[in-house]
Amino acid sequence: MSGTGSETTGMGAAGATLAPGGRGGAWRERGRLVVMTLGPILGALVLSGLLLLVLGVDPLAYYGYVVERGLLSPYGVQATFTRMGPLLLIAAGLIVAFRAGIWNLGGDGQFLLSAVVVAALAPLLAPLMPVWLVLLAALLVGALVGAAWSLLPALLKAYQGVNEIITTLMMTFLGVSFANVLVKLFFRDPTTTVPQTRTLPVADRLPRLFDTTVSSGVLIGLVAIIAVHVVMTRTAFGLKLRIVGANPRAAVHAGLNVPLLTVLTFALSAGLAGLAGAVEILGVQGNVRADWNPAYSLTVIPLVFLARFNGFASIAFVFLFSVLSIGGESAARRTGVPNFFTLVVVAILLVMLGVTEYLDQRRRAAGR
């Protein structure tokens, strides 16, 4: 009995030792993720602040204007939520691609070309159809144009193994140039002197929310990114895409049709980018002017990486970037900083993200 009691005591002690250790390991992992997520953001803000000091600008004043305009001002908050709509759709498309191991860097071309086509089509349909049908048709056309523009990189990747980073970037440059040609020549509004498409009347655009200026495009973006998160984490189709992204050879041995899944991934990712272009036109711009290119896609990439391809975390980071983007426009005017300084902050954030990932990999390698 004493032996049994002794063994029981030993097992209890071992359990008491292992349990905290297990919890400690989980907490350490969570702490690592927090550092990996917040570290690049804080680093980017500090380095951007130092750059502002070099330019002779008070960084605290600049960031104060950003928060005041993008978060505390009623008009600024509404503009922030409106800005989120297309960004969330682009983020959803990037999550689909990145989780499947595909680098779709052609989002800007897919976005802009879809925006131009929608901007040209919607004003022509508005006098002929009910508003809701015009909006539905325009959103569908935008998604289809974006998906179609990814077809060539998709086929080259799926059946020839061509690097999609090169092909999607090339298609972006081609798409941006082609969009400008369409605006200046084929889709140009003959009643204006400035090269632009016809303007969709405000009454025919996406409805506003709750008597505010917030476009309902933000709801489309929220639904899309939550749906993508659920599909990628809770469905068999999402599991197949993740398997392809993790190990294509293992996916082939598992009997998955990798070329077909690759093409579908491109179509979904680019279709969401095209839908973002349609939402931007139908909810905000109403037309497209020559040489207009907000370059949203490349800006959203570091946000998706910071979110670890998590849809809900991406919503938070897109919101923070929208605050920075809207508030940065006002802060730039008040402090005399160039308006594109927000892009400088994003570029520094991307560099900090890469440095953080590198240091984390070295730490993991040293711990093995």
Side-chain angles (χ1 to χ4, degrees):
M1 292 180 60
S2 61
T4 305
S6 166
E7 289 175 4
T8 305
T9 305
M11 291 175 64
T17 305
L18 288 174
R23 289 196 297 268
W27 279 108
R28 281 195 298 271
E29 181 62 19
R30 292 175 184 174
R32 184 188 72 85
L33 291 176
V34 170
V35 171
M36 293 286 292
T37 301
L38 298 182
I41 296 176
L42 296 177
L45 292 177
V46 170
L47 290 179
S48 300
L50 294 176
L51 184 57
L52 288 170
L53 286 176
V54 172
L55 296 175
V57 176
D58 182 2
L60 295 180
Y62 178 86
Y63 291 138
Y65 290 139
V66 168
V67 174
E68 175 188 343
R69 181 64 172 177
L71 193 59
L72 302 181
S73 164
Y75 174 79
V77 170
Q78 295 174 45
T80 294
F81 282 117
T82 297
R83 178 68 56 85
M84 288 179 65
L87 297 181
L88 288 172
L89 287 164
I90 292 173
L94 290 173
I95 290 173
V96 171
F98 291 160
R99 277 187 173 267
I102 292 174
W103 287 79
N104 176 24
L105 302 184
D108 286 331
Q110 297 150 10
F111 171 94
L112 190 58
L113 201 58
S114 297
V116 169
V117 173
V118 168
L121 179 65
L124 297 179
L125 296 179
L128 308 175
M129 303 164 59
V131 174
W132 68 269
L133 190 56
V134 172
L135 294 175
L136 184 61
L139 291 172
L140 179 60
V141 167
L144 291 176
V145 170
W149 198 247
S150 72
L151 184 60
L152 181 58
L155 294 176
L156 290 175
K157 169 70 174 180
Y159 296 100
Q160 300 298 326
V162 178
N163 191 313
E164 73 275 14
I165 295 177
I166 298 173
T167 55
T168 54
L169 284 176
M170 290 177 63
M171 291 298 286
T172 285
F173 295 132
L174 182 59
V176 170
S177 301
F178 186 41
N180 282 318
V181 170
L182 292 176
V183 172
K184 294 177 181 179
L185 296 179
F186 301 103
F187 296 157
R188 180 171 180 171
D189 184 356
T191 64
T192 61
T193 57
V194 178
Q196 66 177 44
T197 64
R198 289 179 174 85
T199 301
L200 182 67
V202 175
D204 296 326
R205 299 181 191 178
L206 289 171
R208 305 297 178 179
L209 298 178
F210 310 115
D211 295 325
T212 67
T213 61
V214 179
S215 169
S216 54
V218 67
L219 295 183
I220 298 175
L222 286 171
V223 170
I225 198 166
I226 292 173
V228 163
H229 180 82
V230 172
V231 167
M232 297 303 295
T233 59
R234 295 287 186 270
T235 68
F237 178 71
L239 177 60
K240 290 178 182 179
L241 294 185
R242 298 203 313 272
I243 292 174
V244 171
N247 194 329
R249 292 184 178 180
V252 172
H253 288 300
L256 299 181
N257 190 336
V258 174
L260 177 60
L261 290 173
T262 299
V263 174
L264 288 176
T265 299
F266 268 101
L268 287 173
S269 178
L272 287 167
L275 186 59
V279 164
E280 179 73 7
I281 298 305
L282 299 174
V284 182
Q285 303 294 335
N287 61 30
V288 175
R289 292 191 174 188
D291 302 318
W292 174 74
N293 181 18
Y296 285 153
S297 182
L298 292 179
T299 304
V300 174
I301 288 176
L303 307 181
V304 173
F305 271 92
L306 283 170
R308 309 297 170 193
F309 310 151
N310 182 287
F312 294 104
S314 295
I315 295 173
F317 285 112
V318 165
F319 173 73
L320 290 176
F321 172 76
S322 298
V323 170
L324 178 63
S325 177
I326 297 298
E329 296 172 0
S330 175
R333 289 192 299 268
R334 296 188 184 186
T335 59
V337 174
N339 196 35
F340 55 80
F341 187 77
T342 301
L343 297 180
V344 175
V345 177
V346 174
I348 295 175
L349 175 61
L350 187 58
V351 173
M352 293 300 299
L353 179 61
V355 171
T356 305
E357 291 285 350
Y358 171 74
L359 294 177
D360 182 64
Q361 289 182 5
R362 290 201 59 177
R363 183 191 64 82
R364 285 171 170 267
R368 290 176 182 174

